Amino acid sequence: MVKHQPLQYYEPQLCLSCLTGIYGCRWKRYQRSHDDTSKWELLWLAILTLTFFLTLIWFYFWWEVENDYNEFNWFLYNRTGNWDHWSIPILITTAAGFTYITGLLMLALCHIAVGQQLNLHWLHKAFLVVILGTTVLAMASIEQMWTEEWEVLIISLQATAPFLHIGAVAVVTMLSWIVAGQFARSEKAIFQICIILAYLAVLIALYLVPLTISSPCIMDKKDLGTKPRIIGHRGAPMLAPENTLMSFKRALENDVYGLQTDVMISYDGIPFLMHDSSLRRTTNVDSVFPFLSSEPPSMANWTDLERLNAGEWFLKDDPFWTVSSLSPSEIFEAGNQSICKLIDLLRLAKESNVTVLFKSLPLPPAHPHYKDRINITINTILASGIPQELVIWLSESDRQLVQKLAPGIQHASNVKDFKRLRERGITMLNLRYTEIIDEDIRESASDNITLNVYIVNKSWLYSVLWCAGVQSVTSDAANILHNVPFPIWVMPPDEYSLIWITSDLVSFTVIIGVFILQNYHLIRWRLGSIRTYNPEQIMLSAAVRRASRDVRIMKEKLIFSEINNSMDNAEELSLCSENRYDGFANDAISPATEAKVHSN
């Protein structure tokens, strides 16, 4: 009589199919494998991990330099001659690349967790190489053209490091499940030791990272200084065209301490406000006076300059993505602005009793007022009637002449030489925010020199500088910083230490629990409670989720050992009789099952 074996039934494994299908285009059961991953695929995993960390750094960097997006756009405008929002496509592309790489890495970790062989599809490999190359090229370009911007990373960590640390601890804690699983499934002691040592090294380093974190916002609230004063950079360029009367009035509406601008002298001797080396970006000179497009603004007569429109570009280019927030009347007013004369700004400042900071830009040698531009500027200041102490001279050149013609004018310098500042009677140190250090803040305070920092547009940066003790900032975003009543966060040192230690203890407790859970069978065997079982049973129980050739061999050894012991229970033999093994389709023999069989 012939006895037929019933066909094997495999339960559908949709999640596993999606996992292997998305990562390696292996959608069918027969395409999957539990064999050990090849060295070539392990190399691709290493490349994927490297790419993840590089894209993470690049994405974090580009997110934090949002404060300087306008500066970056202007930087590229000077080289291409076209104004565009270059920073936004870079941010979108970076976010997309980082999301893609993160997804691939999570799929790879899931493969490891369920014991599946890694086999990255060739299309993913191609995208991976492209993203890695693009990221490296982008970093190299920033290093070459905008080196000082890397300092933003260090400064931003003063605001984010405590929270990034907690997030990193949480991620490493979750990875303990995979690490513990690999430790339990490993058959070589040396591999287990390497896994534990590497994981412990990362874990201990991460736990001790707060010892290196230094943030001015980790302080007692009673030690917080006064809110830094805000100086409108060319007025309020987020709300109106820069260097126009409308822009300066919008800045005054946000209670600024001062107004900053740049001064040029027209060909016929009229001081006016302009920053660029040409009129193309901020006026309609191309359509009105095409012959002046490539000329320096100072080579045009005021009679021509006052005919130019200085507001339409703002509505068209929308440099800060803020035009949509303006009312119809504000849009109409912005679109009809003209170039502003220096004397108009000085009169406005006098009426509002605010400080004016300006830099006198040099003139071309062929300019008729090349030698007397300082005299013309000072005469305009005196003629406006503004108190001299409300004017701050930013230019380094001709300082002695200015002090002689108008001794009451205040002076600012961008040179960090406090001895020189004291000797020359300079009352303000004007630095980019990436240039300042704690010593500059302390020394400027002790010498009664105002430390002004530019350009500060984001609330987190303003908060860090506030906690550090900076006295004033120059900003494009007076409307935003004006509404910051308190630093984003201030935390007493004792409270931060408590959060740090608590998060580390919770993490360590969870990790210990995960390792105990993942290595339960090995622990029981080593404690001696199940020493009656043969080595093959112990190895198979510990490797319950890993199915490779070694596991199949262990199964065969276990079957023959049970046969030799006269174990003829058909139900037990069916657990180990399959020629193929698929991680979650079959149950492994466990000590509990064995005990049940013997009891029968």
Side-chain angles (χ1 to χ4, degrees):
M1 182 176 177
V2 178
K3 189 174 182 180
H4 295 282
Q5 181 83 11
L7 293 175
Q8 177 79 36
Y9 172 72
Y10 292 98
E11 295 182 0
Q13 296 175 317
L14 180 60
C15 292
L16 187 60
S17 296
C18 291
L19 177 66
T20 58
I22 296 174
Y23 187 81
C25 201
R26 294 175 298 166
W27 299 95
K28 304 297 184 181
R29 181 185 296 272
Y30 69 85
Q31 294 176 316
R32 299 195 290 267
S33 173
H34 292 278
D35 290 339
D36 295 335
T37 302
S38 66
K39 294 181 179 179
W40 176 250
E41 288 299 327
L42 290 177
L43 175 60
W44 278 108
L45 177 61
I47 296 174
L48 176 60
T49 305
L50 173 64
T51 306
F52 169 77
F53 283 109
L54 286 178
T55 53
L56 174 62
I57 294 172
W58 174 249
F59 180 52
Y60 177 79
F61 166 78
W62 200 253
W63 181 271
E64 293 300 331
V65 298
E66 183 183 1
N67 183 83
D68 302 327
Y69 279 175
N70 190 66
E71 180 182 338
F72 178 76
N73 294 336
W74 189 80
F75 175 84
L76 293 181
Y77 168 77
N78 285 337
R79 283 157 177 76
T80 64
N82 295 314
W83 177 270
D84 205 345
H85 293 281
W86 304 92
S87 52
I88 300 302
I90 294 176
L91 178 63
I92 295 174
T93 304
T94 300
F98 174 71
T99 303
Y100 173 73
I101 293 299
T102 302
L104 281 185
L105 185 59
M106 292 180 65
L107 289 174
L109 292 176
C110 290
H111 273 70
I112 296 173
V114 301
Q116 285 290 325
Q117 184 187 56
L118 293 173
N119 187 16
L120 186 63
H121 192 262
W122 66 266
L123 195 58
H124 287 317
K125 292 176 181 177
F127 284 136
L128 178 59
V129 171
V130 171
I131 293 175
L132 176 59
T134 303
T135 303
V136 172
L137 179 62
M139 289 182 167
S141 300
I142 292 296
E143 176 64 26
Q144 183 178 6
M145 298 186 300
W146 211 13
T147 304
E148 68 277 5
E149 201 67 11
W150 289 115
E151 296 293 332
V152 176
L153 282 177
I154 307 301
I155 298 172
S156 68
L157 289 176
Q158 296 180 5
T160 61
F163 309 101
L164 292 178
H165 170 252
I166 295 176
V169 168
V171 171
V172 173
T173 302
M174 289 188 290
L175 288 177
S176 65
W177 182 265
I178 296 177
V179 175
Q182 292 300 303
F183 178 84
R185 298 164 199 150
S186 175
E187 302 159 15
K188 297 180 180 179
I190 185 64
F191 186 68
Q192 289 180 324
I193 293 174
C194 290
I195 289 177
I196 289 297
L197 290 180
Y199 186 70
L200 281 178
V202 173
L203 196 62
I204 293 173
L206 191 58
Y207 284 168
L208 298 179
V209 158
L211 295 175
T212 65
I213 293 177
S214 176
S215 173
C217 293
I218 300 178
M219 62 184 302
D220 292 322
K221 294 182 180 179
K222 61 182 179 62
D223 298 328
L224 183 66
T226 58
K227 180 178 179 178
R229 296 171 297 190
I230 302 171
I231 298 172
H233 183 237
R234 307 173 200 166
M238 287 190 177
L239 304 177
E242 66 180 57
N243 280 330
T244 62
L245 276 180
M246 179 183 178
S247 182
F248 296 120
K249 289 178 181 178
R250 291 292 179 272
L252 293 174
E253 291 172 1
N254 287 281
D255 298 329
V256 296
Y257 162 74
L259 303 170
Q260 184 274 338
T261 189
D262 303 279
V263 178
M264 292 185 180
I265 308 295
S266 67
Y267 198 81
D268 50 357
I270 304 297
F272 67 98
L273 311 183
M274 182 62 60
H275 171 267
D276 292 9
S277 58
S278 75
L279 297 165
R280 293 183 63 244
R281 182 176 70 90
T282 58
T283 70
N284 60 342
V285 66
D286 286 335
S287 59
V288 180
F289 303 115
F291 60 92
L292 292 176
S293 295
S294 58
E295 294 291 329
S298 56
M299 297 302 288
N301 287 313
W302 176 251
T303 52
D304 293 332
L305 293 173
E306 65 180 350
R307 292 174 56 189
L308 298 176
N309 183 293
E312 290 178 350
W313 72 273
F314 175 78
L315 302 177
K316 175 185 176 183
D317 295 337
D318 196 5
F320 294 97
W321 297 74
T322 53
V323 170
S324 59
S325 66
L326 302 181
S327 65
S329 61
E330 290 173 332
I331 291 176
F332 177 81
E333 183 182 0
N336 288 277
Q337 290 298 300
S338 58
I339 296 176
C340 182
K341 292 194 293 186
L342 174 60
I343 194 166
D344 293 333
L345 170 62
L346 294 173
R347 289 169 178 168
L348 178 64
K350 177 185 175 182
E351 293 173 2
S352 305
N353 196 34
V354 298
T355 300
V356 176
L357 299 83
F358 67 86
K359 181 182 294 184
S360 178
L361 300 180
L363 302 177
H367 196 284
H369 299 287
Y370 175 74
K371 294 183 179 181
D372 61 347
R373 66 180 176 88
I374 301 298
N375 300 73
I376 294 175
T377 304
I378 296 299
N379 289 336
T380 303
I381 294 173
L382 298 177
S384 68
I386 186 174
Q388 293 185 26
E389 59 270 15
L390 291 181
V391 179
I392 299 179
W393 187 271
L394 294 174
S395 301
E396 293 293 334
S397 61
D398 301 301
R399 203 179 290 278
Q400 292 182 349
L401 178 59
V402 173
Q403 291 174 334
K404 179 180 178 181
L405 296 175
I409 289 180
Q410 304 297 308
H411 290 264
S413 175
N414 58 5
V415 179
K416 286 197 298 182
D417 185 345
F418 287 93
K419 181 180 178 181
R420 175 175 174 270
L421 297 179
R422 290 191 298 268
E423 292 174 350
R424 299 193 176 188
I426 296 175
T427 58
M428 176 181 284
L429 179 60
N430 190 48
L431 299 175
R432 193 175 191 269
Y433 71 90
T434 56
E435 297 175 345
I436 63 170
I437 58 177
D438 293 339
E439 185 179 351
D440 297 333
I441 298 173
R442 290 192 298 268
E443 193 164 354
S444 62
S446 63
D447 290 346
N448 199 27
I449 295 175
T450 301
L451 178 59
N452 183 68
V453 178
Y454 65 92
I455 302 289
V456 178
N457 295 331
K458 307 307 293 184
S459 298
W460 71 263
L461 180 56
Y462 185 66
S463 298
V464 170
L465 296 173
W466 185 347
C467 294
V470 169
Q471 294 140 312
S472 66
V473 300
T474 301
S475 175
D476 295 320
N479 55 310
I480 295 175
L481 303 188
H482 170 67
N483 295 317
V484 177
F486 197 77
I488 292 178
W489 66 273
V490 173
M491 190 182 302
D494 293 341
E495 183 178 331
Y496 174 64
S497 298
L498 179 62
I499 294 175
W500 160 34
I501 295 173
T502 301
S503 63
D504 287 356
L505 288 177
V506 170
S507 168
F508 189 73
T509 303
V510 171
I511 291 172
I512 294 297
V514 167
F515 267 81
I516 292 175
L517 181 63
Q518 287 275 38
N519 295 270
Y520 172 72
H521 299 294
L522 284 178
I523 293 173
R524 286 191 60 195
W525 177 66
R526 293 184 186 280
L527 291 177
S529 61
I530 57 171
R531 289 177 181 171
T532 58
Y533 295 95
N534 59 50
E536 286 79 14
Q537 284 178 316
I538 304 300
M539 296 286 291
L540 187 56
S541 298
V544 66
R545 294 183 182 222
R546 176 175 179 243
S548 63
R549 289 177 301 184
D550 296 332
V551 175
R552 289 198 296 271
I553 292 173
M554 284 191 288
K555 286 184 177 182
E556 293 173 0
K557 288 182 179 181
L558 184 57
I559 292 171
F560 287 119
S561 68
E562 298 295 349
I563 292 175
N564 292 334
N565 291 330
S566 302
M567 298 294 294
D568 57 353
N569 189 306
E571 177 183 357
E572 179 183 1
L573 288 176
S574 65
L575 295 173
C576 304
S577 62
E578 297 169 7
N579 291 327
R580 292 181 60 87
Y581 177 84
D582 202 310
F584 299 104
N586 305 307
D587 295 327
I589 293 178
S590 66
T593 306
E594 182 75 8
K596 181 178 179 181
V597 172
H598 280 291
S599 66
N600 293 332

